[in-house]
Amino acid sequence: MSYTIGFQAKDQKAVLATEAATANQAVAIVAALQKSANEIEFIRSPQEGDMGIEMLMLLAKEEAEEMPKSW
């Protein structure tokens, strides 16, 4: 499932967007954006629609549980 994260860069009015292929990647991007003082405007996926950070984290946890473990 793909995710689009919209954010507003510090001292800019335009909303920029970036893509992530997985929920785990999207969580990492959101964390990095938050550290650099950017404001998260939206998180959305074609399957789930708009969501908050909490929902994204839940989806990332479910995604991690579904991944096969390699030994």
Side-chain angles (χ1 to χ4, degrees):
M1 180 177 340
S2 66
Y3 298 86
T4 303
I5 300 111
F7 62 96
Q8 191 168 20
K10 189 176 182 180
D11 299 328
Q12 290 194 10
K13 293 182 181 180
V15 174
L16 306 172
T18 188
E19 297 282 329
T22 67
N24 284 312
Q25 289 174 349
V27 167
I29 291 169
V30 167
L33 288 170
Q34 288 177 321
K35 285 182 182 178
S36 63
N38 291 309
E39 184 176 337
I40 305 300
E41 296 291 327
F42 63 85
I43 303 167
R44 69 176 56 117
S45 75
Q47 296 84 355
E48 299 288 332
D50 286 359
M51 67 187 78
I53 294 171
E54 297 81 17
M55 180 64 174
L56 178 62
M57 292 176 74
L58 177 63
L59 290 169
K61 181 180 176 184
E62 289 175 0
E63 180 179 275
E65 291 171 356
E66 292 175 1
M67 291 187 71
K69 302 213 188 303
S70 57
W71 300 90

Coordinates of all heavy atoms in Angstrom, one line a residue:
M1 N 0.9 -1.2 0.0 CA 0.0 0.0 0.0 C 0.9 1.2 0.0 O 1.9 1.3 0.7 CB -0.9 -0.1 1.3 CG -1.8 1.1 1.4 SD -3.0 1.1 2.8 CE -3.1 -0.6 3.4
S2 N 0.6 2.2 -0.8 CA 1.4 3.4 -0.8 C 0.8 4.5 0.1 O -0.4 4.5 0.3 CB 1.5 3.9 -2.3 OG 0.3 4.4 -2.7
Y3 N 1.6 5.4 0.5 CA 1.2 6.5 1.4 C 1.8 7.8 0.8 O 2.9 7.9 0.3 CB 1.8 6.3 2.8 CG 1.2 5.0 3.4 CD1 1.8 3.8 3.2 CD2 0.1 5.1 4.2 CE1 1.3 2.7 3.7 CE2 -0.5 3.9 4.7 CZ 0.2 2.7 4.5 OH -0.4 1.6 5.0
T4 N 1.0 8.9 1.0 CA 1.4 10.2 0.6 C 1.4 11.1 1.9 O 0.4 11.1 2.6 CB 0.5 10.9 -0.4 OG1 0.4 10.0 -1.6 CG2 1.0 12.2 -0.8
I5 N 2.5 11.7 2.2 CA 2.6 12.6 3.3 C 2.8 14.0 2.8 O 3.7 14.3 2.1 CB 3.9 12.2 4.2 CG1 3.7 10.7 4.7 CG2 4.0 13.1 5.4 CD1 4.7 9.8 4.1
G6 N 1.9 14.8 3.2 CA 1.9 16.2 2.9 C 2.5 17.0 4.1 O 2.1 16.8 5.2
F7 N 3.4 18.0 3.8 CA 4.0 18.7 4.9 C 4.3 20.1 4.4 O 4.4 20.4 3.2 CB 5.2 18.0 5.4 CG 6.3 17.9 4.3 CD1 7.3 18.9 4.2 CD2 6.3 16.9 3.4 CE1 8.3 18.8 3.3 CE2 7.3 16.8 2.5 CZ 8.3 17.7 2.4
Q8 N 4.4 21.0 5.4 CA 4.7 22.4 5.1 C 6.1 22.6 5.7 O 6.3 22.4 6.9 CB 3.7 23.3 5.8 CG 3.9 24.8 5.3 CD 2.7 25.6 5.7 OE1 1.9 25.2 6.6 NE2 2.5 26.7 5.1
A9 N 7.0 23.0 4.8 CA 8.4 23.2 5.3 C 8.5 24.5 6.1 O 7.7 25.4 5.9 CB 9.3 23.3 4.1
K10 N 9.4 24.5 7.0 CA 9.6 25.7 7.9 C 9.8 26.9 7.0 O 10.5 27.0 6.0 CB 10.9 25.4 8.7 CG 11.1 26.4 9.8 CD 12.3 26.0 10.6 CE 12.5 27.0 11.7 NZ 13.6 26.7 12.5
D11 N 9.0 28.0 7.4 CA 9.1 29.3 6.7 C 8.6 29.3 5.3 O 9.0 30.1 4.5 CB 10.5 29.9 6.8 CG 11.0 30.1 8.2 OD1 10.1 30.4 9.1 OD2 12.2 30.0 8.5
Q12 N 7.8 28.3 4.9 CA 7.2 28.3 3.6 C 5.7 28.1 3.6 O 5.2 27.5 4.6 CB 7.8 27.1 2.7 CG 9.2 27.3 2.4 CD 9.7 26.3 1.3 OE1 8.8 25.6 0.7 NE2 11.0 26.3 1.0
K13 N 5.0 28.7 2.7 CA 3.6 28.6 2.6 C 3.1 27.4 1.9 O 2.0 26.9 2.1 CB 3.0 29.8 2.1 CG 3.2 31.1 2.9 CD 2.6 32.3 2.3 CE 2.9 33.5 3.3 NZ 2.3 34.7 2.7
A14 N 3.9 26.9 0.9 CA 3.4 25.8 0.0 C 3.4 24.5 0.8 O 4.3 24.2 1.7 CB 4.4 25.7 -1.2
V15 N 2.5 23.6 0.5 CA 2.4 22.3 1.0 C 3.1 21.4 0.0 O 2.8 21.3 -1.2 CB 1.0 21.8 1.3 CG1 1.0 20.4 1.7 CG2 0.3 22.7 2.3
L16 N 4.1 20.7 0.5 CA 4.9 19.7 -0.3 C 4.4 18.3 0.0 O 3.8 18.1 1.1 CB 6.4 19.9 0.0 CG 7.0 21.3 -0.1 CD1 8.4 21.3 0.4 CD2 6.9 21.7 -1.6
A17 N 4.7 17.4 -0.8 CA 4.3 16.0 -0.6 C 5.4 15.0 -0.9 O 6.2 15.3 -1.8 CB 3.1 15.6 -1.4
T18 N 5.5 13.9 -0.2 CA 6.4 12.8 -0.5 C 5.7 11.5 -0.4 O 4.6 11.4 0.2 CB 7.6 12.9 0.4 OG1 8.6 11.9 0.0 CG2 7.2 12.6 1.9
E19 N 6.2 10.5 -1.1 CA 5.6 9.2 -1.1 C 6.4 8.2 -0.3 O 7.6 8.3 -0.2 CB 5.5 8.7 -2.6 CG 4.7 9.6 -3.5 CD 3.2 9.3 -3.3 OE1 2.8 8.2 -3.0 OE2 2.4 10.3 -3.5
A20 N 5.7 7.2 0.2 CA 6.3 6.0 0.8 C 5.6 4.8 0.4 O 4.4 4.8 0.2 CB 6.2 6.2 2.4
A21 N 6.3 3.7 0.2 CA 5.8 2.5 -0.3 C 5.1 1.6 0.7 O 4.2 0.9 0.5 CB 6.9 1.7 -1.0
T22 N 5.6 1.8 2.0 CA 5.0 1.0 3.1 C 4.7 1.9 4.3 O 5.2 3.1 4.4 CB 6.0 -0.1 3.6 OG1 7.2 0.6 4.2 CG2 6.5 -0.9 2.5
A23 N 3.9 1.4 5.2 CA 3.6 2.2 6.4 C 4.8 2.4 7.2 O 5.0 3.5 7.8 CB 2.5 1.4 7.2
N24 N 5.7 1.4 7.3 CA 6.9 1.6 8.1 C 7.8 2.7 7.5 O 8.3 3.5 8.3 CB 7.7 0.3 8.2 CG 7.1 -0.7 9.1 OD1 6.8 -0.3 10.3 ND2 6.9 -1.9 8.7
Q25 N 7.9 2.8 6.2 CA 8.6 3.9 5.6 C 7.9 5.2 5.8 O 8.6 6.2 6.1 CB 8.7 3.7 4.1 CG 9.7 2.5 3.7 CD 9.6 2.2 2.2 OE1 8.8 2.8 1.5 NE2 10.6 1.4 1.8
A26 N 6.6 5.2 5.8 CA 5.9 6.5 6.0 C 6.1 7.0 7.5 O 6.3 8.2 7.7 CB 4.4 6.3 5.8
V27 N 6.1 6.0 8.4 CA 6.4 6.4 9.8 C 7.7 7.1 10.0 O 7.9 8.1 10.6 CB 6.2 5.2 10.8 CG1 6.8 5.5 12.2 CG2 4.7 4.8 10.9
A28 N 8.7 6.5 9.3 CA 10.1 7.0 9.3 C 10.2 8.4 8.7 O 10.8 9.3 9.3 CB 11.1 6.1 8.6
I29 N 9.5 8.6 7.6 CA 9.4 9.9 7.0 C 8.8 10.9 7.9 O 9.3 12.1 8.1 CB 8.7 9.9 5.6 CG1 9.6 9.1 4.6 CG2 8.4 11.3 5.1 CD1 8.9 8.7 3.3
V30 N 7.6 10.6 8.5 CA 6.9 11.5 9.4 C 7.8 11.9 10.6 O 7.9 13.0 11.0 CB 5.6 10.9 9.9 CG1 5.0 11.6 11.1 CG2 4.6 10.8 8.8
A31 N 8.5 10.9 11.2 CA 9.4 11.2 12.3 C 10.5 12.1 11.9 O 10.8 13.1 12.6 CB 10.0 9.9 12.8
A32 N 11.1 11.9 10.7 CA 12.2 12.8 10.2 C 11.6 14.2 10.0 O 12.3 15.2 10.3 CB 12.8 12.2 8.9
L33 N 10.4 14.3 9.4 CA 9.9 15.6 9.1 C 9.6 16.3 10.4 O 9.8 17.6 10.5 CB 8.6 15.5 8.3 CG 8.8 15.1 6.8 CD1 7.4 14.8 6.2 CD2 9.5 16.2 6.1
Q34 N 9.1 15.6 11.4 CA 8.8 16.3 12.7 C 10.0 16.8 13.4 O 10.0 17.8 14.0 CB 8.0 15.3 13.6 CG 6.6 15.0 13.2 CD 5.9 14.0 14.1 OE1 6.5 13.0 14.5 NE2 4.6 14.3 14.3
K35 N 11.2 16.1 13.3 CA 12.4 16.5 13.9 C 13.0 17.8 13.2 O 13.7 18.5 13.8 CB 13.5 15.4 13.7 CG 13.3 14.3 14.7 CD 14.4 13.2 14.6 CE 14.1 12.1 15.5 NZ 15.1 11.0 15.4
S36 N 12.6 17.9 11.9 CA 13.2 19.1 11.2 C 12.2 20.3 11.3 O 12.3 21.2 10.5 CB 13.5 18.8 9.8 OG 12.3 18.3 9.1
A37 N 11.3 20.3 12.2 CA 10.3 21.4 12.5 C 9.4 21.6 11.3 O 8.9 22.7 11.1 CB 11.1 22.6 12.8
N38 N 9.1 20.6 10.6 CA 8.0 20.7 9.5 C 6.7 20.3 10.1 O 6.6 19.5 11.0 CB 8.4 19.8 8.3 CG 9.6 20.2 7.6 OD1 9.7 21.4 7.2 ND2 10.5 19.3 7.4
E39 N 5.6 20.9 9.6 CA 4.3 20.6 10.0 C 3.7 19.5 9.1 O 3.7 19.8 7.9 CB 3.4 21.8 10.1 CG 2.1 21.5 10.6 CD 1.2 22.8 10.8 OE1 1.8 23.9 10.9 OE2 0.0 22.7 10.7
I40 N 3.2 18.4 9.6 CA 2.5 17.4 8.8 C 1.1 17.9 8.5 O 0.3 18.2 9.4 CB 2.5 16.1 9.5 CG1 3.9 15.6 10.0 CG2 1.8 15.0 8.6 CD1 4.9 15.4 8.9
E41 N 0.8 18.1 7.2 CA -0.5 18.6 6.8 C -1.5 17.4 6.6 O -2.7 17.6 6.9 CB -0.4 19.4 5.5 CG 0.4 20.6 5.6 CD -0.3 21.7 6.5 OE1 -1.5 21.8 6.5 OE2 0.5 22.4 7.2
F42 N -1.0 16.3 6.0 CA -1.9 15.2 5.8 C -1.1 13.9 5.6 O 0.1 14.0 5.2 CB -2.9 15.4 4.6 CG -2.2 15.6 3.3 CD1 -1.8 14.4 2.5 CD2 -1.9 16.8 2.8 CE1 -1.2 14.6 1.3 CE2 -1.3 17.0 1.5 CZ -0.9 15.9 0.8
I43 N -1.7 12.8 5.8 CA -1.2 11.5 5.5 C -2.4 10.7 4.9 O -3.5 10.7 5.4 CB -0.8 10.7 6.8 CG1 0.3 11.5 7.5 CG2 -0.2 9.3 6.4 CD1 0.6 11.0 8.9
R44 N -2.2 10.2 3.7 CA -3.3 9.5 3.0 C -2.8 8.3 2.2 O -1.6 8.3 1.8 CB -4.1 10.4 2.2 CG -3.5 11.0 1.0 CD -4.5 11.9 0.2 NE -5.1 13.0 1.0 CZ -4.9 14.2 0.7 NH1 -4.2 14.6 -0.3 NH2 -5.5 15.1 1.5
S45 N -3.7 7.4 2.0 CA -3.4 6.2 1.1 C -4.6 6.0 0.3 O -5.7 6.3 0.7 CB -3.0 5.0 1.9 OG -4.1 4.4 2.5
P46 N -4.5 5.4 -0.9 CA -5.6 5.2 -1.7 C -6.6 4.2 -1.1 O -7.8 4.4 -1.2 CB -5.0 4.5 -3.0 CG -3.6 4.9 -3.0 CD -3.2 5.1 -1.6
Q47 N -6.1 3.3 -0.3 CA -7.0 2.3 0.3 C -7.7 2.8 1.6 O -8.8 2.5 1.9 CB -6.2 1.0 0.7 CG -5.7 0.3 -0.5 CD -4.3 0.9 -1.0 OE1 -3.8 1.9 -0.5 NE2 -3.8 0.2 -2.0
E48 N -7.0 3.6 2.4 CA -7.5 4.0 3.7 C -8.0 5.5 3.7 O -8.7 5.9 4.6 CB -6.3 3.9 4.8 CG -5.8 2.5 5.0 CD -6.8 1.6 5.7 OE1 -7.7 2.1 6.5 OE2 -6.8 0.4 5.5
G49 N -7.6 6.3 2.7 CA -8.0 7.7 2.7 C -7.1 8.5 3.7 O -6.0 8.1 4.0
D50 N -7.6 9.6 4.2 CA -6.9 10.4 5.1 C -6.8 9.8 6.5 O -7.8 9.1 6.9 CB -7.5 11.8 5.2 CG -7.3 12.7 4.0 OD1 -6.6 12.2 3.1 OD2 -7.8 13.8 4.0
M51 N -5.6 9.9 7.1 CA -5.5 9.3 8.4 C -4.5 10.2 9.3 O -3.8 11.1 8.7 CB -4.9 7.9 8.3 CG -3.5 7.9 7.8 SD -2.9 6.2 7.4 CE -3.7 5.9 5.9
G52 N -4.5 9.9 10.6 CA -3.6 10.6 11.5 C -2.4 9.8 11.7 O -2.3 8.6 11.2
I53 N -1.4 10.3 12.4 CA -0.2 9.6 12.7 C -0.5 8.3 13.5 O 0.1 7.3 13.3 CB 0.8 10.5 13.5 CG1 1.2 11.7 12.6 CG2 2.0 9.8 14.0 CD1 2.0 12.8 13.3
E54 N -1.4 8.4 14.4 CA -1.8 7.2 15.2 C -2.2 6.0 14.4 O -1.8 4.9 14.5 CB -2.8 7.5 16.3 CG -2.4 8.5 17.3 CD -2.5 9.9 16.9 OE1 -3.2 10.2 15.9 OE2 -1.9 10.8 17.5
M55 N -3.1 6.3 13.4 CA -3.6 5.3 12.5 C -2.4 4.7 11.6 O -2.3 3.5 11.4 CB -4.7 5.8 11.6 CG -5.3 4.8 10.6 SD -6.0 3.5 11.5 CE -6.8 2.6 10.2
L56 N -1.6 5.6 11.2 CA -0.4 5.2 10.4 C 0.5 4.3 11.2 O 0.9 3.2 10.7 CB 0.4 6.4 9.9 CG 1.7 6.1 9.2 CD1 1.4 5.4 7.9 CD2 2.5 7.4 8.9
M57 N 0.7 4.6 12.5 CA 1.5 3.7 13.3 C 0.9 2.4 13.5 O 1.5 1.3 13.6 CB 1.8 4.4 14.7 CG 2.7 5.6 14.5 SD 3.0 6.6 16.0 CE 4.1 5.5 16.8
L58 N -0.5 2.3 13.7 CA -1.2 1.1 13.8 C -1.0 0.2 12.5 O -0.8 -1.0 12.6 CB -2.7 1.3 14.1 CG -3.5 0.1 14.2 CD1 -3.1 -0.8 15.4 CD2 -5.0 0.5 14.4
L59 N -1.2 0.9 11.4 CA -1.0 0.2 10.1 C 0.5 -0.4 10.0 O 0.7 -1.5 9.5 CB -1.3 1.1 8.9 CG -2.8 1.4 8.8 CD1 -3.0 2.5 7.8 CD2 -3.6 0.2 8.4
A60 N 1.4 0.4 10.4 CA 2.8 0.0 10.4 C 3.0 -1.3 11.3 O 3.7 -2.2 10.9 CB 3.8 1.1 10.8
K61 N 2.4 -1.2 12.4 CA 2.5 -2.4 13.4 C 1.9 -3.6 12.7 O 2.5 -4.7 12.7 CB 1.8 -2.1 14.7 CG 1.9 -3.2 15.7 CD 1.2 -2.8 17.0 CE 1.2 -4.0 17.9 NZ 0.5 -3.7 19.1
E62 N 0.7 -3.5 12.1 CA 0.1 -4.6 11.5 C 0.9 -5.1 10.3 O 1.0 -6.3 10.1 CB -1.3 -4.2 11.0 CG -2.3 -4.0 12.1 CD -3.7 -3.5 11.6 OE1 -3.8 -3.3 10.3 OE2 -4.6 -3.3 12.4
E63 N 1.5 -4.2 9.6 CA 2.3 -4.5 8.4 C 3.5 -5.4 8.9 O 3.9 -6.4 8.3 CB 2.8 -3.2 7.7 CG 3.7 -3.4 6.5 CD 4.0 -2.0 6.0 OE1 3.2 -1.5 5.2 OE2 5.1 -1.5 6.4
A64 N 4.2 -4.9 10.0 CA 5.3 -5.7 10.5 C 4.9 -7.1 11.0 O 5.7 -8.0 10.8 CB 5.9 -4.9 11.7
E65 N 3.8 -7.2 11.5 CA 3.3 -8.5 12.0 C 3.0 -9.5 10.9 O 3.1 -10.7 11.0 CB 2.1 -8.4 12.9 CG 2.4 -7.7 14.2 CD 1.1 -7.4 15.0 OE1 0.0 -7.6 14.5 OE2 1.2 -6.9 16.2
E66 N 2.7 -8.9 9.7 CA 2.3 -9.7 8.5 C 3.5 -10.2 7.8 O 3.5 -11.1 7.0 CB 1.4 -9.0 7.6 CG 0.0 -8.8 8.2 CD -0.9 -7.9 7.3 OE1 -0.4 -7.5 6.2 OE2 -2.0 -7.6 7.7
M67 N 4.7 -9.5 8.0 CA 5.9 -9.8 7.2 C 6.4 -11.1 7.7 O 6.5 -11.4 8.9 CB 6.9 -8.7 7.4 CG 6.5 -7.4 6.7 SD 7.8 -6.2 6.7 CE 8.9 -6.9 5.6
P68 N 6.8 -12.0 6.7 CA 7.4 -13.3 7.1 C 8.8 -13.1 7.8 O 9.5 -12.2 7.4 CB 7.6 -14.0 5.8 CG 7.6 -13.0 4.8 CD 6.8 -11.8 5.3
K69 N 9.0 -13.8 8.8 CA 10.3 -13.7 9.5 C 11.3 -14.7 8.9 O 11.0 -15.8 8.6 CB 10.1 -14.1 11.0 CG 9.0 -13.3 11.7 CD 9.3 -13.1 13.1 CE 8.3 -12.4 13.9 NZ 7.8 -11.2 13.6
S70 N 12.4 -14.1 8.6 CA 13.5 -14.9 8.0 C 14.5 -15.4 9.1 O 14.9 -14.6 9.9 CB 14.2 -14.2 6.9 OG 14.7 -13.0 7.4
W71 N 14.8 -16.6 9.1 CA 15.7 -17.2 10.1 C 17.0 -17.4 9.6 O 17.5 -17.9 8.8 CB 15.1 -18.4 10.7 CG 13.8 -18.1 11.3 CD1 12.6 -18.2 10.7 CD2 13.5 -17.7 12.6 NE1 11.6 -17.9 11.6 CE2 12.1 -17.6 12.8 CE3 14.3 -17.5 13.8 CZ2 11.5 -17.2 14.0 CZ3 13.7 -17.1 14.9 CH2 12.3 -16.9 15.0

